[in-house]
Amino acid sequence: MDGTVLVADDDRTIRTVLTQALTRAGCKVHATSSLTTLMRWVAEGKGDVVISDVVMPDGNGLEMLPKIQQDRPDLPVIVISAQNTIMTAIQAAEAEAYDYLPKPFDLPDLMKRTARALDNRNRAPKREEPTHGADAPDELPLVGRTAAMQALYRLVAKVMNTDLPVLVTGESGTGKSLIAKAIHDFSDRRTLPFVTVTSTELADLEGPARVLARVKGGTLLIDEIADTPDEVQARIVRMMDAPGDHVPRFMATSQIDLAHAMEEGRVRRDLYYRLSGATIAVPSLRERVEDIALLSDHFLARVEREGGPKRWLSEEAAELFRAYSWPGNVRQLENAVRRLSLTSRADEITRGEVEAVLGNQPETEPILKGGDSEKLGTSVARHLRRYFDLHGNMLPPPGLYARILREVEAPLIEIALEATGGNQAKCADLLGINRNTLRKKITDLDIRVTRRRKLM
C-alpha cells in the first residue's frame, strides 16, 4: 500500500496496532485520540484515507463526516465502532462513509478495505441527498453485537436506497417486519406510505389496484408470502410487472426458506425470482445467544423510559435467559422482560422469577435439556450457510477459515476448562492435545481462566 492514513481512536491499543500494521504495509500513519486534531489534519490537506472511531472524548466521529465530505470529497473515511446497532451502520451509510466495520474488527479485513480505499481515493464519491429525515425513527429495537447481526446491518445499509425488491426471511418474532420498516424509513421513499398487506387483501381481482392506490409509490410489504394461494401469487407477479404510474418498492417476509418452498411447488418460480433481488436472513436468538443480555437490558431500559420501575437481571437470571431456546425469539424475549419488570418484587430480577415466567411460555425448554437429533456437522453447515446468505451477493471478508476455526475452538476450550474445573492437565487430556499446546491456545485465543475455575 502507498499513502498516508489518518487514524483517530481513543483506544491506545487500537492506535498502536493499526499504526504498526499500516506502517509494515508501506503506509505513513498519523494517529490521534482527538477528533479536533483529526479535523485539523484534514483541513491541512493531510491524509489519503481516514480510519475513525465513532465515540471519541471530544465528539462523535459520524458527525464530522459531512464536513469532510464538503471540504475534501475525495477523502475516503472508514468508520469503526463498538456501538454495534443498525443505527450506526445506517448513519455511517447516510453520512457517505467509505466503509463501516464494527468492533472488534478483523485486522486483515480492515487492511484490505484500507488498500481498496487508497486505490480508489481519486474517484470522487457519488453525492446523494441525506436520507435521515425528521420522520425516521429515533430508535430501533434491532440491537446486536454478534457477527450475524453486524452482517445484517451492513446489508440493510447497502440495499436501503436501491429499488431492488427485498425478501426478508427468518423465524417468527425475529424482527422481519422491523427490518423492512427500517429499510423504508431510512430510504429515499421515507416520506411516502409504507403499506403491509396479507394475501386476503389481494384475494379478489380489484385487490392489487386498491393496494397500489394506497402505496402511492412508497413501499409495499407482503407479509408471509409463502402462505399466499397460487392465484394470489399470480396477481402479485402481474402487479410487479405492471405497477402503474407510481412504482412502489416491493418487499416480502417469509418464515420459511422460499427457495425450498419453490422447489416443493408452494411458491411460484416467477414470483420467487421477482422478489429475491436482495435476500436478508434475520438470525434467530439461538444463533446470536451473545445478544440476549444486550436485548434484555435494552427492553428493561425502554420500560423505565415509559414510566416503569428500574429493573435489572441478576447474574443467575441472565444466565438462565441465555440457556433457553426462545422459540418466539425477540418478540417473546421482550414480552418476558416486560412481565418481569412489572411483577418482580425487588429491583433485581431473580432466577426464580425468570423460571416462573419462562415456565409459562409455550414450547419453551432449556437448550441443554432435550435438544434435537440434528448432527453437529448439519448444524454447523446450517449456520455457515446462513452466514454466507447474510452477505447477499457479496462474499464474506477473506480469512474465513481462520475465523471459523477460532469461533469453534475458543468456546470448545472454554467449556472443556469449565468441565474440568480449570485443571489444564485434565483439560488437555480431555481434548487430546499437549498441555503446552493448550496453554498457547489459551493465550492466543485470549481465553480467561478465572480463579473460580481453578482447582484449589
Side-chain angles (χ1 to χ4, degrees):
M1 289 190 284
D2 179 27
T4 300
V5 181
L6 308 181
V7 175
D9 199 296
D10 62 340
D11 188 319
R12 178 181 295 180
T13 302
I14 290 179
R15 294 200 305 272
T16 301
V17 168
L18 289 180
T19 298
Q20 292 175 347
L22 290 165
T23 301
R24 285 197 298 267
C27 295
K28 295 179 180 179
V29 182
H30 297 289
T32 179
S33 61
S34 166
L35 279 180
T36 302
T37 302
L38 173 65
M39 294 306 292
R40 176 168 56 80
W41 288 342
V42 170
E44 292 172 353
K46 294 180 179 178
D48 300 303
V49 172
V50 173
I51 300 175
S52 177
D53 194 4
V54 173
V55 179
M56 297 283 282
D58 56 346
N60 185 299
L62 290 175
E63 294 175 357
M64 57 83 181
L65 285 176
K67 176 65 174 173
I68 294 178
Q69 286 289 342
Q70 178 182 343
D71 296 346
R72 295 181 59 186
D74 60 339
L75 180 62
V77 180
I78 299 175
V79 174
I80 54 177
S81 175
Q83 288 189 320
N84 303 322
T85 70
I86 193 172
M87 293 295 295
T88 309
I90 289 175
Q91 288 169 356
E94 289 175 347
E96 297 186 352
Y98 177 83
D99 215 333
Y100 161 75
L101 277 175
K103 291 182 179 179
F105 54 81
D106 182 67
L107 182 58
D109 182 27
L110 177 57
M111 295 293 289
K112 290 187 177 182
R113 292 171 190 250
T114 304
R116 192 181 307 126
L118 286 168
D119 290 340
N120 297 336
R121 61 184 180 270
N122 293 323
R123 303 177 188 176
K126 181 183 177 181
R127 303 290 293 178
E128 296 179 355
E129 292 299 316
T131 60
H132 186 76
D135 55 343
D138 295 325
E139 183 178 15
L140 294 171
L142 297 168
V143 179
R145 294 195 179 104
T146 54
M149 288 303 290
Q150 292 304 315
L152 184 148
Y153 298 158
R154 288 195 292 271
L155 186 55
V156 167
K158 287 179 183 296
V159 305
M160 66 182 182
N161 277 323
T162 70
D163 291 325
L164 283 173
V166 177
L167 174 62
V168 187
T169 65
E171 296 179 8
S172 176
T174 51
K176 298 186 295 296
S177 297
L178 289 174
I179 292 289
K181 188 68 164 60
I183 292 173
H184 171 82
D185 286 342
F186 286 89
S187 74
D188 294 333
R189 299 176 187 260
R190 67 187 181 279
T191 59
L192 299 173
F194 176 86
V195 177
T196 302
V197 298
T198 62
S199 61
T200 304
E201 296 170 85
L202 300 169
D204 61 83
L205 291 174
E206 299 301 320
R210 288 195 300 270
V211 168
L212 289 173
R214 290 166 55 197
V215 179
K216 299 176 182 177
T219 300
L220 175 60
L221 175 66
I222 305 169
D223 191 40
E224 293 304 329
I225 189 71
D227 294 338
T228 56
D230 186 74
E231 61 181 35
V232 175
Q233 292 183 28
R235 286 198 187 98
I236 295 172
V237 170
R238 291 193 292 271
M239 181 171 60
M240 295 182 71
D241 288 344
D245 296 332
H246 302 289
V247 180
R249 182 176 197 172
F250 290 94
M251 302 179 71
T253 64
S254 176
Q255 291 186 35
I256 65 173
D257 182 344
L258 222 59
H260 185 63
M262 178 187 68
E263 295 300 329
E264 291 182 339
R266 296 172 57 186
V267 173
R268 294 172 59 104
R269 289 183 176 273
D270 50 3
L271 177 60
Y272 171 75
Y273 290 121
R274 281 167 175 77
L275 283 175
S276 57
T279 300
I280 298 177
V282 187
S284 67
L285 274 185
R286 296 185 302 282
E287 297 170 285
R288 54 184 190 113
V289 173
E290 297 303 321
D291 286 334
I292 291 176
L294 191 69
L295 283 162
S296 301
D297 292 342
H298 175 85
F299 292 133
L300 286 169
R302 174 183 287 178
V303 171
E304 184 182 354
R305 288 195 301 272
E306 293 171 354
K310 182 179 178 60
R311 297 279 193 257
W312 60 87
L313 293 172
S314 68
E315 290 186 13
E316 294 79 9
E319 182 180 350
L320 188 57
F321 261 33
R322 284 170 46 84
Y324 273 78
S325 58
W326 299 106
N329 289 293
V330 179
R331 185 184 298 120
Q332 183 189 9
L333 175 63
E334 180 177 13
N335 290 338
V337 168
R338 285 185 173 276
R339 179 174 174 183
L340 285 163
S341 68
L342 296 175
T343 60
S344 178
R345 289 172 290 184
D347 293 338
E348 184 174 79
I349 299 170
T350 67
R351 179 185 178 95
E353 289 171 327
V354 170
E355 288 176 339
V357 168
L358 293 181
N360 294 326
Q361 296 285 350
E363 302 178 20
T364 306
E365 294 181 357
I367 290 176
L368 300 179
K369 296 179 181 178
D372 54 42
S373 58
E374 184 178 55
K375 293 182 178 179
L376 178 61
T378 304
S379 178
V380 171
R382 177 167 51 82
H383 285 282
L384 287 174
R385 191 169 292 109
R386 174 66 62 86
Y387 178 72
F388 273 83
D389 290 344
L390 285 169
H391 288 79
N393 295 324
M394 300 177 63
L395 290 174
L400 178 62
Y401 184 79
R403 287 202 305 278
I404 294 299
L405 283 184
R406 184 184 179 92
E407 288 284 337
V408 174
E409 196 172 31
L412 172 61
I413 293 175
E414 287 177 348
I415 293 170
L417 281 167
E418 290 177 358
T420 55
N423 187 311
Q424 294 186 21
K426 288 185 177 180
C427 182
D429 184 60
L430 174 65
L431 294 172
I433 61 177
N434 183 277
R435 186 174 179 181
N436 290 332
T437 301
L438 174 63
R439 287 174 175 169
K440 186 176 186 304
K441 288 184 178 294
I442 289 173
T443 301
D444 292 345
L445 297 172
D446 194 26
I447 295 173
R448 296 181 62 187
V449 182
T450 64
R451 288 182 180 275
R452 186 169 55 87
R453 286 178 180 166
K454 293 180 179 179
L455 293 178
M456 302 302 290

